[in-house]
């Protein structure tokens, strides 16, 4: 006889600790755990204030979502909150193994589908082939366009970024073990250092992931120690999120260019990195390698998954010349769960292995 399990029934748990109801997705292999219900109220008059509040008062939620034994050191999370912006359909806080991001492109691609399928946006008109979802991220308002049929998502998603710009081009940084290395710092909702893996004696397509992670992490720490990252409009956004190692193929080509992103506490993005693609498009446009509306394909060295990106129009961010970038990719659902806490569990707060 086959055993059946009632969907709504929860295992024994601490009644004082509400279960976190989550929907799991992935975009190009990069996971996203979306909190659908159960998170305490995140207080704050602005989204950035809510981000600060969650960091200081609700960080146990992040640990429960992301850390083992419920997650793993490369898990990524999203908590949905109300936005103060009148045009936003939803606000979101991004969670990773070290804290809270300002932007996450793979999450936006997944959240576009989720928002449409779970009724967070008005149903599109009959016959519509695309639905618009306005997502307020900590870096600003990002517009997603979701392929749909019969009012449900049915294919790829694209989004238009906040203004993306180059903070420092051809910056020389003294990287321990590698000497002076020339690299770029660019912003696509988060700041990244970009450097060809070849300059570090590696091949982004064939070197061991562990070697790529160690090299990228060394670059990140060197940049943080030698270069001040500032955002022209918000102090909350002025930090280096990680390093993206590339194959060095920045000149326009119809062939994919490959990269790997290492961010937060040596977290490895399985996708081509949506905010990284945004920043890399801005960098290639800044250096004259790309024109407006020229589409490039970006490939993840971790999984082989691809995103496309193109600069759709020029913009400004403070005094910086910037571009609005369109990034497209495919997200998929992987399941649902109710994450509970048992009172006597000595590891209920979560842990990470390194």
């Amino acid at each position: 006889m086959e055993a059946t399990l009632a969907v709504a029934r929860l295992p024994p748990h601490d009644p004082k600790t509400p279960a976190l109801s989550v929907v799991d997705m992935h975009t190009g292999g990069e996971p996203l755990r979306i909190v659908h219900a159960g998170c305490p109220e995140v207080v704050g008059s602005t989204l950035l204030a809510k981000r600060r509040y969650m960091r200081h008062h609700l960080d146990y939620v992040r640990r429960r979502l992301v850390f083992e034994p419920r997650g793993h050191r490369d898990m990524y999370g999203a908590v949905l909150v109300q936005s103060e912006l009148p045009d936003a359909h939803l606000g979101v806080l991004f969670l990773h193994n070290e804290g809270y991001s300002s932007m996450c492109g793979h999450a936006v691609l997944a959240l576009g589908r989720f928002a449409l399928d779970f009724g967070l946006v008005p149903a599109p008109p009959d016959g519509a082939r695309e639905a618009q979802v306005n997502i307020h991220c900590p870096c600003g308002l990002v517009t997603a366009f979701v392929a749909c049929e019969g009012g449900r998502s049915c294919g790829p998603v694209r989004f238009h970024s906040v203004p993306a710009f180059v903070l420092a081009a051809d910056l020389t940084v003294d990287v321990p073990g590698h000497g002076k290395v020339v690299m770029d710092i660019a912003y696509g909702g988060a700041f990244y250092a970009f450097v060809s893996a070849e300059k570090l004696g590696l091949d982004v397509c064939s070197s061991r992931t562990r070697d790529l992670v160690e090299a990228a992490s060394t670059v990140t720490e060197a940049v943080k120690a030698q270069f001040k990252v500032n955002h022209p409009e918000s102090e909350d956004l002025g930090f280096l999120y990680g390093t993206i190692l590339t194959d060095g193929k920045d000149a326009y080509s119809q062939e994919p260019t490959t990269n790997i992103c290492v961010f937060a506490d040596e977290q490895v993005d399985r996708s081509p990195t949506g905010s990284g693609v945004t920043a890399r498009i801005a960098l290639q446009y800044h250096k004259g390698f790309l024109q407006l509306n020229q589409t490039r394909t970006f490939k993840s060295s971790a999984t082989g998954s691809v995103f496309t990106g193109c600069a759709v129009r020029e913009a400004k961010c403070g005094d910086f010349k910037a571009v609005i970038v369109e990034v497209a990719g495919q997200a998929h659902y992987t399941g649902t769960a109710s994450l509970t806490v048992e009172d006597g569990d000595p590891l209920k707060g979560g842990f990470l292995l390194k």
Side-chain angles (χ1 to χ4, degrees):
M1 182 188 301
E2 291 186 356
T4 58
L5 180 66
V7 174
R9 185 174 178 180
L10 294 176
H13 64 285
D14 179 5
K16 300 188 296 297
T17 306
L20 294 173
S21 177
V22 302
V23 173
D24 280 355
M25 303 182 72
H26 83 88
T27 311
E30 179 69 357
L32 182 68
R33 177 162 285 171
I34 305 166
V35 180
H36 192 231
C39 182
E41 181 185 4
V42 184
V43 177
S45 59
T46 67
L47 192 67
L48 287 174
K50 287 180 169 71
R51 181 170 172 262
R52 291 190 292 270
Y53 180 90
M54 184 148 193
R55 179 191 292 123
H56 295 308
H57 301 284
L58 299 175
D59 196 55
Y60 65 87
V61 174
R62 178 185 67 88
R63 294 172 60 93
R64 194 182 306 164
L65 281 171
V66 172
F67 285 15
E68 295 186 54
R70 301 170 189 86
H72 53 84
R73 67 171 297 102
D74 293 313
M75 177 57 78
Y76 207 95
V79 171
L80 305 185
V81 297
Q82 291 212 330
S83 167
E84 74 274 15
L85 301 182
D87 293 334
H89 293 116
L90 67 149
V92 61
L93 300 176
F94 301 122
L95 325 176
H96 51 69
N97 69 11
E98 192 177 52
Y100 301 84
S101 175
S102 53
M103 173 58 185
C104 180
H106 94 272
V108 166
L109 295 170
L111 285 168
R113 288 196 67 191
F114 175 86
L116 179 62
D117 294 335
F118 282 75
L120 302 184
V121 296
D126 290 342
R129 305 306 298 270
E130 200 172 56
Q132 180 172 324
V133 182
N134 299 331
I135 302 173
H136 187 189
C137 305
C139 63
L141 190 65
V142 176
T143 305
F145 303 91
V146 184
C148 62
E149 187 173 340
R152 300 294 298 273
S153 68
C154 67
V157 178
R158 59 191 178 93
F159 70 80
H160 285 181
S161 71
V162 296
F165 61 91
V166 175
L167 182 65
D170 300 320
L171 177 71
T172 299
V173 177
D174 192 358
V175 180
H178 301 281
K180 295 187 181 301
V181 179
V182 177
M183 63 189 68
D184 305 291
I185 312 294
Y187 178 81
F191 285 102
Y192 296 96
F194 289 89
V195 60
S196 170
E198 186 179 16
K199 295 180 180 180
L200 305 172
L202 297 169
D203 185 322
V204 76
C205 298
S206 62
S207 292
R208 295 189 314 163
T209 300
R210 182 70 254 167
D211 294 337
L212 295 168
V213 170
E214 289 178 356
S217 299
T218 302
V219 170
T220 296
E221 293 309 310
V223 173
K224 287 180 177 179
Q226 299 170 46
F227 182 79
K228 176 64 175 175
V229 172
N230 287 305
H231 189 279
E233 295 179 350
S234 173
E235 185 178 338
D236 287 83
L237 305 178
F239 63 95
L240 187 70
Y241 191 31
T243 291
I244 296 179
L245 303 182
T246 78
D247 58 9
K249 298 176 181 177
D250 290 320
Y252 176 74
S253 169
Q254 293 185 346
E255 294 299 315
T257 176
T258 302
N259 55 230
I260 186 170
C261 175
V262 181
F263 64 98
D265 183 11
E266 296 191 343
Q267 192 160 338
V268 181
D269 197 332
R270 274 69 170 158
S271 80
T273 310
S275 56
V277 166
T278 301
R280 201 168 168 208
I281 286 284
L283 179 60
Q284 292 175 357
Y285 184 79
H286 174 84
K287 292 192 170 187
F289 294 131
L290 273 182
Q291 303 299 315
L292 290 178
N293 298 309
Q294 274 191 318
T295 299
R296 289 214 69 183
T297 301
F298 296 83
K299 183 177 179 180
S300 164
S301 77
T303 62
S305 59
V306 298
F307 290 168
T308 59
C310 68
V312 294
R313 66 179 183 274
E314 293 184 337
K316 292 278 285 185
C317 187
D319 292 331
F320 288 95
K321 292 181 179 179
V323 286
I324 302 300
V325 177
E326 179 177 288
V327 176
Q330 176 71 63
H332 296 275
Y333 292 100
T334 57
T336 60
S338 294
L339 306 182
T340 59
V341 170
E342 208 167 5
D343 192 36
D345 182 357
L347 299 177
K348 63 184 178 182
F351 63 93
L352 288 180
L353 293 181
K354 200 166 186 178

